[in-house]
Amino acid sequence: MATAEARLDEGGVTEQTILHWESVQARLRQEIGDTAYTSWVKPMRLGTVSGTQVQLAVPTRFMRDWILTHFAERIRALWSGENPQIRTVQVVVDAAAASRPAPAVRGVASSAAAPAAEAPARRATPARRTAAPAAESPAPVLTVTAASPAVVERVAEPSLLTPVPAQALSGLGTGSFDDLSAPLDPRYTFENFVTGKPNEFAYAAAQRVADSERPSFNPLFLYGGVGLGKTHLMHAIAHAIRDRHPQRRVIYLSAEKFMYSFVKALRYKDTMAFKESFRSVDVLMIDDVQFISGKDSTQEEFFHTFNALIDQGRQIVISADKSPADLEDIGDRLRSRLASGLVADIHPTTYELRLGILAAKAERMGVAVPEKVLEFLAHKIASNVREMEGALTRLVAHAQLVGRDLTLETTQDVLRDLLRANDRRITIEEIQKKVAEHFQIKLSDMHSARRSRSVARPRQVAMYLAKQLTSRSLPEIGRKFGGRDHTTVMHAVRKIDELRQGDAAFAEDVDLLRRMLES
């Protein structure tokens, strides 16, 4: 039975033990080939042979699990052929195993020399990782016996992490660790993210992840509709971590690219390199995880990658267009893991937030955009911030290239395809709602008996627009405004006409409302 105190101990290694181990290695090399031997058998280090048990050490938890599944029983059988007393093979995790010189005999180095000598060294794992307390990330000792090779005994042992061997990446065709990550947009930083009530919680959570070296909540799951800022926050987190903690290894990619990399690894029969690469990072960021819906094999691999990183205390950040509970065709196990950390919703933007985003973008572009144009865009393109920013870029570019002034007329002409309304009837209710929002009064004021100018004037504007934009009769319009007489509507129409002729700013306000309702 393995004990909690089990560790690699070379003190009891004899020359006969080393000879047996070299013989076992030689047989395995013949059976599994040079590639598999170099990746999995060669990094192992011989510990002790005590009674009926052989102890071997590997540098990572993942390698330990793989050897247990694929080679441990064969190693036990081959060693029993060398020494019939051997009944058990014990595999322990020891981060120093990769760099410790192997025991030698016959005046030469053992064939189990560390593979680091054959490949360029990767970025060193920070020393702080090797001092993690046992309670934080247990690394079980695994044992295979002749009587029950499939039974695994798990006893806590400190988590000892090591960089991934360079050859582990070669099968993915990446060439380097950083190539696994998708490029980051330099515009998507925390400094360029405009915050408001709909996104302030998600923004604060993203800032905490970027600032903390240890996960405060794991995973961080960001969700919201298209174009609300999820990808911006993901890029901002990655930028901030690389700037503030350059020693941390960060991978950011879309779920689609994760799936493509996994399929490629399956195609080239190099899934072990794929697993080792993604399970050795400090921060894994997967964007648009909804794209693996219905992809059972990819979900299974992501589930195991997720668990491995969580066990090691690594940070995971995920985004999707829906909450974990609402994702379709996602397995219950994975859904439960996704919801196990902090779930932060990015709500649809408000008018004020959209206006702030447009103003900030115009400032970054160095262009003076009339306030009425920004207000028009903020009103008309409400569901997708990315589309709204694109509309402003298109409008400014057209004005600069063609030499036209930035006006409401130019905006409506240039963005006709975006603003073109569906064939629908404009209702009086819609007019009342839009006018109330614009003048910042209550919708109920449209029907109330209040006669103060701050309420009466917007009500008259709404009556005027109802007369201009609908086919309703004056009595019908009056009834929609709290049962007012048709003469009240006639007076409102005449009054607004007079004000429009004498007050250019007021006329522009009314025209803005009309364009928003018509477009």
Side-chain angles (χ1 to χ4, degrees):
M1 177 72 69
T3 67
E5 290 74 26
R7 296 290 187 275
L8 181 66
D9 179 11
E10 295 180 3
V13 176
T14 65
E15 182 174 332
Q16 190 64 30
T17 300
I18 296 172
L19 291 173
H20 288 164
W21 176 229
E22 289 181 345
S23 179
V24 170
Q25 287 179 301
R27 290 286 302 277
L28 282 173
R29 188 167 193 164
Q30 292 177 353
E31 293 178 6
I32 66 178
D34 289 342
T35 301
Y37 172 83
T38 300
S39 297
W40 305 110
V41 178
K42 196 172 182 180
M44 283 192 285
R45 288 293 173 268
L46 175 63
T48 61
V49 176
S50 177
T52 63
Q53 178 175 279
V54 172
Q55 184 187 81
L56 299 172
V58 294
T60 67
R61 176 196 301 258
F62 174 74
M63 184 175 288
R64 186 271 324 278
D65 292 343
W66 177 260
I67 290 170
L68 174 78
T69 303
H70 295 84
F71 299 127
E73 172 56 21
R74 184 55 181 158
I75 291 173
R76 187 205 61 77
L78 290 174
W79 211 306
S80 294
E82 299 291 329
N83 181 356
Q85 293 183 354
I86 297 302
R87 305 288 295 169
T88 302
V89 172
Q90 183 188 63
V91 183
V92 300
V93 176
D94 181 358
S99 58
R100 180 184 297 114
V105 72
R106 300 174 186 149
V108 297
S110 169
S111 61
E118 299 180 5
R122 287 166 39 82
R123 185 184 304 172
T125 301
R128 59 181 173 81
R129 293 285 182 186
T130 64
E136 178 181 337
S137 182
V141 175
L142 303 183
T143 305
V144 172
T145 66
S148 55
V151 176
V152 179
E153 298 173 358
R154 299 180 178 268
V155 182
E157 182 179 4
S159 176
L160 300 172
L161 308 177
T162 187
V164 184
Q167 64 266 30
L169 299 176
S170 59
L172 293 177
T174 61
S176 71
F177 181 87
D178 290 336
D179 288 341
L180 288 171
S181 185
L184 298 176
D185 192 322
R187 300 171 300 170
Y188 290 166
T189 64
F190 284 125
E191 292 73 21
N192 290 337
F193 190 84
V194 180
T195 58
K197 191 171 182 179
N199 59 25
E200 60 184 0
F201 177 62
Y203 175 83
Q207 280 276 25
R208 175 68 64 85
V209 167
D211 287 336
S212 304
E213 293 196 23
R214 293 178 180 273
S216 300
F217 23 75
N218 214 3
L220 171 61
F221 189 100
L222 304 171
Y223 79 94
V226 175
L228 296 184
K230 301 185 301 296
T231 298
H232 189 143
L233 282 180
M234 296 279 280
H235 283 234
I237 292 172
H239 278 306
I241 291 177
R242 290 179 175 180
D243 290 342
R244 302 170 191 174
H245 312 288
Q247 79 281 4
R248 301 184 73 187
R249 297 165 295 178
V250 181
I251 283 185
Y252 163 82
L253 73 166
S254 66
E256 186 177 19
K257 185 175 180 182
F258 179 89
M259 178 178 66
Y260 170 77
S261 298
F262 179 58
V263 171
K264 183 178 179 182
L266 290 175
R267 178 182 177 186
Y268 291 103
K269 299 180 180 179
D270 204 5
T271 56
M272 289 309 101
F274 173 90
K275 293 174 186 288
E276 191 75 26
S277 300
F278 280 98
R279 299 183 189 187
S280 65
V281 300
D282 292 299
V283 183
L284 177 63
M285 309 179 70
I286 303 292
D287 204 359
D288 291 324
V289 77
Q290 71 271 7
F291 286 118
I292 65 172
S293 296
K295 313 296 192 301
D296 293 341
S297 296
T298 303
Q299 286 185 37
E300 183 75 13
E301 178 56 36
F302 181 66
F303 173 80
H304 292 302
T305 298
F306 185 103
N307 284 343
L309 292 175
I310 292 291
D311 286 347
Q312 295 172 9
R314 312 299 181 88
Q315 180 70 60
I316 299 176
V317 184
I318 298 168
S319 79
D321 60 354
K322 299 177 182 177
S323 70
D326 294 330
L327 289 174
E328 300 175 357
D329 297 323
I330 294 289
D332 291 338
R333 291 189 309 167
L334 181 56
R335 190 192 312 276
S336 175
R337 297 298 190 277
L338 295 176
S340 63
L342 178 64
V343 178
D345 182 8
I346 302 179
H347 297 279
T349 55
T350 61
Y351 167 75
E352 291 77 14
L353 179 57
R354 293 194 297 275
L355 192 58
I357 292 171
L358 287 171
K361 183 172 181 63
E363 183 178 350
R364 291 196 300 271
M365 296 171 69
V367 178
V369 181
E371 186 176 348
K372 293 298 182 181
V373 172
L374 297 180
E375 291 175 353
F376 179 76
L377 292 177
H379 270 298
K380 291 306 298 177
I381 308 177
S383 61
N384 191 320
V385 173
R386 191 179 298 119
E387 184 178 89
M388 182 181 70
E389 290 183 319
L392 179 60
T393 300
R394 177 176 166 187
L395 178 62
V396 170
H398 183 276
Q400 291 176 340
L401 294 173
V402 178
R404 295 179 64 180
D405 293 334
L406 286 172
T407 64
L408 288 176
E409 290 76 13
T410 301
T411 301
Q412 190 171 35
D413 183 42
V414 173
L415 303 178
R416 188 177 303 278
D417 58 327
L418 286 177
L419 304 176
R420 184 182 298 117
N422 296 324
D423 291 333
R424 59 178 177 83
R425 292 182 59 185
I426 300 174
T427 65
I428 294 177
E429 290 80 4
E430 184 179 357
I431 293 171
Q432 291 173 336
K433 182 179 179 181
K434 187 67 69 177
V435 172
E437 288 178 354
H438 181 76
F439 287 100
Q440 298 181 346
I441 65 173
K442 296 179 181 178
L443 182 60
S444 59
D445 288 334
M446 291 290 170
H447 314 91
S448 72
R450 293 181 60 189
R451 301 174 64 88
S452 63
R453 186 170 181 175
S454 63
V455 172
R457 187 70 74 225
R459 188 191 297 135
Q460 289 175 332
V461 170
M463 290 180 182
Y464 171 84
L465 291 172
K467 177 66 173 66
Q468 300 295 321
L469 300 177
T470 73
S471 59
R472 298 295 187 93
S473 66
L474 295 181
E476 288 177 314
I477 294 174
R479 284 194 293 271
K480 291 290 186 177
F481 284 85
R484 286 176 165 78
D485 189 82
H486 73 283
T487 58
T488 303
V489 179
M490 291 175 60
H491 171 73
V493 172
R494 285 197 300 267
K495 185 65 177 178
I496 298 303
D497 270 333
E498 292 174 3
L499 291 173
R500 289 182 68 248
Q501 293 174 14
D503 188 337
F506 181 77
E508 194 172 357
D509 260 357
V510 175
D511 288 342
L512 172 65
L513 283 166
R514 179 168 185 160
R515 290 177 188 279
M516 287 190 298
L517 288 164
E518 286 180 330
S519 299

